Amino acid sequence: MSSENNLEIATGCPVFVEISDTSEKLKSRIVGHDQQNFVIIACPRSGTCNNKSWQPGANVVIKYVHDGVVIAFQTPILNSIQAPANLLFLAYPREITRQNLRGWKRYQCDFKGWLPVAGNDLVGNVLDISMGGCCISISSETLGAAEIPEPGTAMELTIQHPENNELAKLPATLSNSWVTGNTRKFGVAYQSLTSEQERQVKDLIFVALHI
């Protein structure tokens, strides 16, 4: 973690907005900023800023991913406008936290995924994900009598993005597998991801932040 007060921002970057005193997480995007002065985001919740949640002085928490780093900060609302667009002006944060995804921190999730076992792509649930690998669970009923691959086996893991249904096809090797109840869990490690595949993994982690 770091508390350096230079904010990394890209216009159009998707963000999550958490309203103070609630657990609600709303989607928005960065519209612009003035370094050390203010940050501008599109108003969440149907695009309207005309309600008490967005009054000046109300605190919000902003979270987003920039260049492989999860950035988060809490700050009060300065003002809102409805024309020419519904926008929120936020005070520039005094403290910013950063967590490097390249450290391979695992994030809990529930994504649909497929893993090749005995020549067949078997459907399962991706239970956690990181920039280095993930864990996918497949039911014993789905596995049937299929021969379980050995650790070190090369395979292509597929994960479905839960919002746009994009399929991330990721080269990987099997790290280990174990039985839990009526499922078998597989730990897999990615191998030599392209820049596009890295983007897909980062997008999945971004979704996992608010599950």
Side-chain angles (χ1 to χ4, degrees):
M1 291 286 190
S2 168
S3 59
E4 294 177 6
N5 203 32
N6 245 345
L7 192 59
E8 303 92 342
I9 285 184
T11 301
C13 175
V15 300
F16 286 123
V17 183
E18 299 180 15
I19 303 172
S20 182
D21 300 325
T22 75
S23 59
E24 192 171 15
K25 297 179 176 65
L26 305 174
K27 293 180 180 179
S28 182
R29 58 184 172 81
I30 297 289
V31 174
H33 77 293
D34 188 353
Q35 196 74 255
Q36 303 298 327
N37 290 318
F38 57 81
V39 177
I40 309 171
I41 65 170
C43 192
R45 185 175 283 160
S46 304
T48 175
C49 293
N50 191 23
N51 65 60
K52 64 180 182 180
S53 298
W54 313 119
Q55 296 303 308
N59 282 318
V60 295
V61 174
I62 303 297
K63 293 181 180 179
Y64 62 97
V65 177
H66 177 83
D67 194 25
V69 176
V70 177
I71 297 174
F73 59 86
Q74 182 175 10
T75 191
I77 295 172
L78 294 176
N79 207 345
S80 65
I81 62 172
Q82 285 75 51
N86 285 283
L87 302 175
L88 287 177
F89 287 75
L90 310 177
Y92 195 88
R94 294 182 179 180
E95 184 174 352
I96 304 161
T97 62
R98 299 171 175 86
Q99 184 168 359
N100 197 332
L101 295 180
R102 296 182 181 90
W104 294 0
K105 173 179 170 61
R106 289 187 176 268
Y107 294 86
Q108 301 300 307
C109 60
D110 185 16
F111 302 147
K112 187 176 182 180
W114 291 264
L115 197 69
V117 178
N120 297 309
D121 281 339
L122 302 184
V123 66
N125 295 93
V126 179
L127 304 178
D128 64 46
I129 188 168
S130 75
M131 288 303 297
C134 68
C135 175
I136 180 170
S137 175
I138 300 177
S139 71
S140 298
E141 182 179 356
T142 299
L143 284 168
E147 183 178 352
I148 305 302
E150 295 291 329
T153 301
M155 52 183 57
E156 182 181 71
L157 168 71
T158 302
I159 306 176
Q160 184 178 53
H161 193 291
E163 296 176 351
N164 60 24
N165 295 325
E166 180 183 41
L167 296 179
K169 296 183 178 296
L170 309 171
T173 58
L174 180 66
S175 300
N176 54 15
S177 71
W178 65 99
V179 175
T180 302
N182 62 349
T183 66
R184 178 176 283 270
K185 295 179 179 179
F186 297 85
V188 298
Y190 314 136
Q191 299 296 320
S192 303
L193 298 184
T194 66
S195 58
E196 173 61 16
Q197 289 166 336
E198 286 186 354
R199 177 200 64 80
Q200 291 178 309
V201 174
K202 290 175 184 176
D203 286 349
L204 289 165
I205 290 175
F206 182 67
V207 173
L209 289 173
H210 76 289
I211 288 181

